[in-house]
Every structure is written in C-alpha cells, then in structure tokens.
Amino acid sequence: MSTQKSSEKPLKITTQTVVDMKSKGEKISMLTAYDFTMASIIDHAGIEIILVGDSASNVMAGFETTVPMTLEHMIYHTSCVVRGVDRALVIADMPFMSYQVTSKEALINAGRMMKEAGAHAIKMEGGKPIIDTVKKIVDAGIPVMGHLGLTPQSIYKFGTYKVRATEDEEAKELIRDAKLLEEAGCFSLVLEKIPAQLAAKVTEELSIPTIGIGAGPQCDGQVLVLHDMLGLNKEFNPRFLRRYADLNSVMTEAVQQYIKDVKSKDFPNKDEQYGG
C-alpha cells in the first residue's frame, strides 16, 4: 500500500453542496474576504462559503456605507479572492444600482461578475421588487443568493441599522419575500438582523438554506465579516458579533516593536543582511 501523500485537490463546495448540507442538518460556515491572502487563509482553514461582500466599502475603502461600491470595485475584489481559493464557494455581492434599474442591465452586470471576476454565484438584496430580475439571472445559469432583513444598501431609505421585521406585518412580508425568492430560483438566503424566532420560522418553511447574521442559531448557517470576527475592527460592536481574535492589538504591538528595533539599530542584525 502506497504511503505517498495524495496530491488531489480538495473537493469543491458548490451551490448543490450547501443545499445538501441543509437536508443533512449540517451547519454552513461563511465569512467575508476581499483579497487574495485573506481568502487563501480562510479557504485552507476549511470555510465553506466566502462572500466577497460590498462591506469592502467599509472595511477596505473606509466609506460609511456600502452604497459607494461600484461594479468595477466588486469585480476587482472578487477576482483577487477567486485566485486565492481552491475549495470554498465564492459568492459576490451585486453592488447598489447594479441590478435595480432593469432586469436586462442586472443580467449583463451579473454576467460580468461571473465572466470577469470568476465568481461562482452572486448575492442580491431585496424581495418582491427584484423577483423578476432574480428569475432572469437564474434562468441564464447564474446562481443567486438572496438577502432579506437588514439590507445595508437601503440604509438611506430606512435611516437606521436597527433590527428589522419586529412587527407582525413586516414579519409576514419577510416570510412572503423569502418564499418568493425560493420560487424564483435562489439557492440560499441571508437573513440579517431579524428576531431569532422569525429566522427559525423562515428556515423551517424553506427548502433552501438560510445563512444568518444577527438572526439567531436556528439558521442553517452563519456569516460574519472577517475583519470584525478577527478583531481588526474595534469600533463595530453589535450584539451578534463574537470576536475570535484580537489582531488589532497583535498588529499594533508588532509595528511598535519594529519601530523600536529600527530606531535602536537592532534591525537589521548581522544575520539579516548580505555580504559582498
């Protein structure tokens, strides 16, 4: 029997994989990434889904909202991520106003995200108003993940990031929208910042998986922004965020030590230079 290490690539996660995970009762892990290095690290760590979120607007570009992100920005970030991934399913956010004008324009833009960036699927925010657009994109062979609840691209419409669907009528509308998105062909659905009981009800009533962020433990999977869960960003402190590291402090201490070593002439030492 050969003891040679297998050189086979890890089995790719597909949209069907995550649908099957729901039917098997296996929870789905999802994180954001926006560049080659971070994507490579979390892919090798075993993450199932990488979302190239328009949250890049906040954590990478320093904007207050996700609204300024353009299709070109998202294509750039997505292509960087795709090059760093061997196994994970890479989903790209369609940015604000790239799919809301007409279904035809939305399809063209979604096609660019797949062809130019190499995304495996796209994500779109909204319910009933985008159903025809979702159908058109899915019919063209492009997988779509839906997104309901708190929809950051609509921040100027709602004016706040508070929990959504706390009232009966809005909760009923969210359930209707979730079912419409499933019927339109979405393979999964993000539920953001809604009551846990409502998320559980939606998860139970859909055959496609739900991915929660601030939506309780009954969703089929969970997603966090990588920079938040690694503790790179210390200013953002919502109830749903669990920090798994404090890389802000680690990096600050490393940079301070480097400055100290440069000023004291400790760096570079004799082993860190070339002769000649």
Side-chain angles (χ1 to χ4, degrees), residues 257 260-270 272:
Q257 186 62 50
K260 181 181 177 182
D261 290 349
V262 168
K263 291 186 178 297
S264 67
K265 302 180 183 179
D266 179 70
F267 176 81
N269 61 33
K270 60 184 179 63
E272 296 163 333

Side-chain angles (χ1 to χ4, degrees), residues 15-26:
T15 56
Q16 189 59 52
T17 306
V18 298
V19 172
D20 291 343
M21 288 174 74
K22 177 185 176 88
S23 65
K24 295 174 184 175
E26 183 181 351

Side-chain angles (χ1 to χ4, degrees), residues 67-258:
V67 171
M69 291 303 282
T70 67
L71 186 67
E72 284 68 29
H73 288 145
M74 292 305 302
I75 288 172
Y76 168 76
H77 285 291
T78 303
S79 65
C80 292
V81 167
V82 168
R83 287 191 290 272
V85 168
D86 291 323
R87 176 177 177 268
L89 178 70
V90 178
I91 301 173
D93 263 337
M94 293 293 289
F96 182 61
M97 295 309 292
S98 68
Y99 59 93
Q100 290 96 335
V101 180
T102 67
S103 294
K104 180 181 178 180
E105 183 177 323
L107 177 58
I108 291 170
N109 290 337
R112 287 189 63 193
M113 195 70 82
M114 303 292 283
K115 286 174 67 67
E116 296 177 37
H120 306 145
I122 63 162
K123 181 169 77 64
M124 299 163 61
E125 295 181 7
K128 187 176 180 180
I130 67 165
I131 294 301
D132 289 341
T133 299
V134 170
K135 288 179 181 177
K136 194 176 189 70
I137 292 172
V138 171
D139 286 346
I142 299 173
V144 176
M145 172 182 274
H147 184 149
L148 294 174
L150 173 63
T151 49
Q153 291 179 11
S154 303
I155 182 57
Y156 290 120
K157 174 183 176 182
F158 296 107
T160 175
Y161 288 106
K162 71 177 183 179
V163 177
R164 295 281 146 71
T166 55
E167 302 297 328
D168 285 347
E169 192 51 47
E170 190 182 355
K172 290 177 182 177
E173 182 181 356
L174 188 143
I175 293 171
R176 287 195 297 266
D177 282 346
K179 291 179 178 178
L180 286 172
L181 287 167
E182 179 177 30
E183 291 168 7
C186 284
F187 73 92
S188 59
L189 178 64
V190 168
L191 298 174
E192 181 168 0
K193 214 169 182 182
I194 65 173
Q197 299 92 329
L198 176 59
K201 182 175 176 60
V202 173
T203 301
E204 182 181 357
E205 295 192 10
L206 296 185
S207 61
I208 60 174
T210 59
I211 309 293
I213 177 166
Q218 299 304 314
C219 294
D220 298 303
Q222 299 293 329
V223 60
L224 286 174
V225 171
L226 184 64
H227 290 60
D228 296 339
M229 63 87 71
L230 290 178
L232 286 164
N233 176 8
K234 287 194 170 183
E235 288 72 41
F236 186 58
N237 295 293
R239 178 187 296 187
F240 63 78
L241 174 60
R242 181 183 296 183
R243 287 195 170 89
Y244 286 82
D246 182 11
L247 296 195
N248 187 297
S249 295
V250 171
M251 291 178 67
T252 299
E253 290 169 10
V255 171
Q256 289 173 339
Q257 186 62 50
Y258 169 73

